[in-house]
Amino acid sequence: MTDPAQTSSPPDVSTAELVRRLSEQTRTLVSDEMALARAEMTAKGKAIGIGAGLAGAGTLFALGGGLAFIAAAIAALALVVPVWAAALIVGAVLLVVGGILALVAKSQISHATPPKPEQAIDSAREDVRVLKEEVRR
């Protein structure tokens, strides 16, 4: 059932009633936009959490494999030079590679945009545009 005041045309309704409706509709609109933003950020947060957990597990296994390869490289190089020199050479190479990767990672992170509820922001901008358009009429 609809309220007769809600279905009457604007010329038949008082200014006070129109202001009350605008206030109600604005409150509802803001509430809906906030709910959309909350839902969007919750979904993104869950995806990030799952991805981070999988990345952590993968990193542990890769670390174990990498350590085995480092030991193999030191053992192979020890056939040519003393063991201490082989470990020193492999360690220096690893530090250089690690430093380069850290610099590339810093560059990538600084270019990343902060996470934000893009759909909710776009929707709110569209709502504001429509409201401005309707007020001009």
Side-chain angles (χ1 to χ4, degrees):
M1 294 191 167
T2 59
D3 182 359
Q6 294 287 337
T7 58
S8 58
S9 63
D12 299 338
V13 179
S14 70
T15 302
E17 177 61 23
L18 290 174
V19 170
R20 186 191 64 76
R21 285 186 199 173
L22 176 63
S23 176
E24 258 180 40
Q25 291 172 351
T26 302
R27 194 174 325 123
T28 301
L29 180 63
V30 168
S31 175
D32 290 349
E33 293 298 344
M34 292 302 293
L36 174 62
R38 205 170 18 256
E40 190 177 346
M41 292 306 289
T42 298
K44 285 183 178 186
K46 285 180 183 177
I48 288 172
I50 291 170
L54 291 173
T59 299
L60 285 176
F61 280 97
L63 180 62
L67 292 174
F69 279 125
I70 291 169
I74 292 171
L77 197 55
L79 296 174
V80 181
V81 296
V83 175
W84 66 268
L88 189 66
I89 292 168
V90 171
V93 170
L94 290 173
L95 285 175
V96 169
V97 170
I100 291 170
L101 290 175
L103 290 174
V104 171
K106 180 181 180 277
S107 171
Q108 288 295 315
I109 290 170
S110 67
H111 287 49
T113 58
K116 59 184 178 182
E118 294 167 0
Q119 289 176 342
I121 291 170
D122 292 342
S123 176
R125 283 187 182 140
E126 179 64 16
D127 293 340
V128 168
R129 186 192 65 76
V130 168
L131 282 172
K132 284 180 181 178
E133 200 173 280
E134 289 298 319
V135 168
R136 287 185 201 142
R137 289 186 188 184

